Amino acid sequence: MSRVKRLLLWSLAILTLGLIVLVATGCALYAAARTSTVGELEFENRLAIPRLLQAREEAGRKVFDLTLRRGSTALVPGEPAETWGANGDYLGPTLRASRGDDVTIRVHNTVGEATTIHWHGMHLPAIADGGPHQPIEPDATWKPSWEIDQPAATLWYHPHLHEQTADHVYRGIAGLFIIDDAATGRLALPNEYGVDDIPLVIQDKRLHDDGSLDYSQGWISPTGRLGDTILVNGTYDPYVDVRHSRVRFRLLNASNARIYSIGFADDRPFELIGTDGGLLERPQRLDRVQLSPGERAEIVARFAPGEKVVLRSFEPDLDTNFFENRFAGGDDSFDLLQIRAARTLAPSPPIPERLAAPMPVNEDHVAGTRRFELNGNSINGRRLDLRRIDQVVVAGTTELWEVHNDSGTPHSFHPHGVSFRIVEYAGGPAPPHLRGLKDTVYVPPGNSVRLVVRFGENSNPDRPYMFHCHVLQHEDRGMMGQFVVAPG
Ligand code: C2O
Ligand code: CU
């Protein structure tokens, strides 16, 4: 054999070997990337219910005190992790106020570094919004005030410091902010907090063997940190006892990147009664509700005396390609919570046929259309620059916002300070679970969503609000822009 021929054969052999190794690792990674805890939990721990924070009355205002602090929490039993929380070691209390209330929140930061608290879904002046423009320095207290001026809804709060949101949320600062209003208060809906009206803050974590939080981003995941340990209200492997025949659950996806498709293990239907921005006009009977990070849903489920039912996250429909789907968690499933119904259940009235007042969407009164292209950690080809205002809108107007996901990667869209209605979703009408008031929406790869956004009267040409992808790693990498609301 000539030398040249031998060399050729050798290179061919090495190349083939390399290819085999590559394919084998690819297959192994692909196989390993699928996670499921279905059937594996024991439901040993009683679900924690975030406590309701009592407000102080001060000169006609409701004043809430939140202290951000460091703590230590056994996220899984017996293995303490360093965590952050508000008024506690992990997560934060539930704030509650009614439409028309004047509120002040005193946020005292003792975590030893700057952070912020953003009121996700709240209609409020930009200066009180708590985005990257309102950092709270160590040991400082930030005191935003505003008037609650929106329908009853399940909102939430979380840090939003520039380039640090993913870590600060992952460490554990997040909580609910429930808004009430008079009309909703008159409806026959389960409303005893923690009893037949139960908040469920759902998060995934990746933990080291010693129980500490793993901060690595997951180098192969297109959306960042995905964990295989699920916490509900900070409780691992949880169960909850219920004493009523109907129970309302306020679901919040407070995860960094994971998308859940939530339903019951026995596929029983439930009534979806509310989405991000408030109650639906009518309940929708469903057996799954999908939530991307930041989204909320209020559901009411029925239980029979003495039964045990598991709330589960099924494989979500990410509507993307084979690989992105697997590595973004599209093939993952989890048991979330076991519900244990008492032997005798207090009867609950049926869910009212009508919930919120009709909310016609009138596209004729749209003042203009804007387009947002999501791609490669940027929006319209630009990453966040805090000195640049990307959009100027006018107070009191309604606009059509078209958001297109140009990439193969899962993204979402969330504008601050407003709620919107979805008038078109991936080429069709909005699916039932996306027909109510929303502030965050999943935008499937290669698809568009069209949103009718109504801007309120809070205006200030110098104080921007943010719009961004709510996959926290994407947001931190600059997949975010700024808009101001100019006076009308
Ligand atoms: Cu949940 Cu810009 O935030
Ligand atoms: Cu994204």
Side-chain angles (χ1 to χ4, degrees):
M1 215 182 321
S2 79
R3 254 186 81 183
V4 178
K5 223 167 156 187
R6 242 191 356 246
L7 209 69
L8 220 73
L9 273 174
W10 269 109
S11 348
L12 206 70
I14 288 168
L15 216 71
T16 322
L17 202 74
L19 211 68
I20 291 172
V21 170
L22 210 71
V23 170
T25 4
C27 289
L29 274 175
Y30 187 78
R34 180 164 197 234
T35 307
S36 178
T37 62
V38 167
E40 284 174 9
L41 297 191
E42 313 283 342
F43 309 110
E44 284 186 310
N45 307 306
R46 182 188 294 274
L47 177 77
I49 303 291
R51 73 181 184 85
L52 278 172
L53 184 60
Q54 270 327 103
R56 288 183 283 121
E57 292 285 337
E58 248 175 47
R61 311 191 64 82
K62 279 193 174 153
V63 181
F64 295 91
D65 286 293
L66 278 183
T67 299
L68 312 180
R69 64 175 186 79
R70 289 172 182 259
S72 161
T73 312
L75 296 173
V76 288
E79 306 280 1
E82 283 176 30
T83 53
W84 287 8
N87 298 4
D89 291 287
Y90 188 76
L91 293 179
T94 298
L95 277 61
R96 196 155 191 168
S98 298
R99 189 168 200 166
D101 283 349
D102 288 311
V103 300
T104 297
I105 328 278
R106 299 167 46 94
V107 189
H108 182 45
N109 176 11
T110 72
V111 297
E113 54 189 276
T115 187
T116 83
I117 290 292
H118 164 58
W119 320 103
H120 179 127
M122 195 75 73
H123 302 181
L124 77 188
I127 195 163
D129 186 51
H133 294 279
Q134 288 93 35
I136 316 169
E137 296 304 325
D139 298 319
T141 302
W142 178 57
K143 289 175 283 222
S145 291
W146 70 94
E147 182 195 339
I148 304 285
D149 186 19
Q150 67 193 93
T154 304
L155 313 181
W156 69 298
Y157 60 89
H158 63 80
H160 210 307
L161 193 69
H162 185 39
E163 295 172 337
Q164 310 270 323
T165 299
D167 273 1
H168 289 191
V169 174
Y170 193 66
R171 287 168 196 269
I173 299 183
L176 290 169
F177 200 136
I178 297 176
I179 308 282
D180 298 302
D181 65 24
T184 307
R186 285 192 294 270
L187 294 172
L189 288 172
N191 64 2
E192 202 181 331
Y193 182 80
V195 177
D196 65 355
D197 180 355
I198 300 176
L200 300 177
V201 179
I202 303 167
Q203 299 176 303
D204 62 327
K205 301 287 168 191
R206 201 160 51 223
L207 303 177
H208 293 296
D209 288 340
D210 65 357
S212 60
L213 284 164
D214 180 349
Y215 288 98
S216 59
Q217 282 291 4
W219 55 276
I220 210 166
S221 161
T223 51
R225 213 168 272 157
L226 290 174
D228 51 9
T229 301
I230 304 289
L231 304 178
V232 183
N233 300 344
T235 310
Y236 173 69
D237 198 15
Y239 72 88
V240 66
D241 289 311
V242 301
R243 295 186 271 116
H244 292 78
S245 61
R246 284 187 174 83
V247 178
R248 173 188 195 164
F249 295 101
R250 298 179 191 249
L251 307 169
L252 160 66
N253 180 353
S255 306
N256 283 44
R258 190 173 286 292
I259 297 172
Y260 303 90
S261 173
I262 297 170
F264 291 94
D266 62 1
D267 289 329
R268 75 182 55 198
F270 53 79
E271 308 284 342
L272 176 75
I273 60 164
T275 52
D276 304 341
L279 293 185
L280 306 178
E281 285 177 41
R282 303 168 181 285
Q284 296 279 340
R285 184 157 266 249
L286 300 173
D287 57 13
R288 299 282 186 276
V289 59
Q290 186 157 312
L291 298 177
S292 71
E295 291 185 282
R296 288 88 66 210
E298 294 186 30
I299 64 170
V300 177
R302 278 187 87 163
F303 299 102
E307 70 172 345
K308 289 185 177 146
V309 194
V310 172
L311 189 71
R312 180 171 289 171
S313 177
F314 297 84
E315 298 181 4
D317 179 12
L318 307 185
D319 199 5
T320 183
N321 66 61
F322 194 70
F323 288 102
E324 292 260 354
N325 186 65
R326 169 65 55 110
F327 294 112
D331 296 322
D332 297 350
S333 49
F334 301 92
D335 279 348
L336 301 176
L337 171 72
Q338 185 187 55
I339 294 130
R340 301 181 184 170
R343 261 172 220 285
T344 49
L345 296 177
S348 324
I351 303 306
E353 288 288 314
R354 298 237 43 139
L355 299 168
M359 302 173 265
V361 234
N362 195 340
E363 280 186 70
D364 304 341
H365 294 152
V366 158
T369 301
R370 286 170 214 263
R371 216 175 135 76
F372 299 84
E373 301 273 349
L374 312 179
N375 201 347
N377 292 322
S378 53
I379 300 180
N380 292 339
R382 305 201 279 203
R383 296 206 185 188
L384 177 70
D385 179 343
L386 284 170
R387 292 156 309 184
R388 184 189 69 225
I389 301 299
D390 298 280
Q391 310 284 347
V392 180
V393 305
V394 177
T397 61
T398 300
E399 295 197 2
L400 192 64
W401 283 19
E402 290 184 357
V403 188
H404 182 70
N405 182 349
D406 247 347
S407 70
T409 300
H411 293 300
S412 66
F413 190 75
H414 166 56
H416 286 198
V418 288
S419 305
F420 54 74
R421 297 287 300 277
I422 301 170
V423 287
E424 194 183 306
Y425 191 85
H433 72 286
L434 298 179
R435 288 196 195 140
L437 285 169
K438 294 282 294 166
D439 56 51
T440 306
V441 62
Y442 180 64
V443 189
N447 276 296
S448 294
V449 300
R450 303 176 86 212
L451 319 173
V452 169
V453 195
R454 174 156 172 87
F455 300 93
E457 299 301 334
N458 289 312
S459 65
N460 187 333
D462 303 318
R463 299 283 180 176
Y465 295 95
M466 319 307 289
F467 56 86
H468 58 90
C469 172
H470 215 289
V471 171
L472 300 186
Q473 185 195 59
H474 295 171
E475 169 181 343
D476 278 347
R477 288 182 174 172
M479 199 166 193
M480 181 150 57
Q482 311 195 87
F483 70 99
V484 292
V485 179

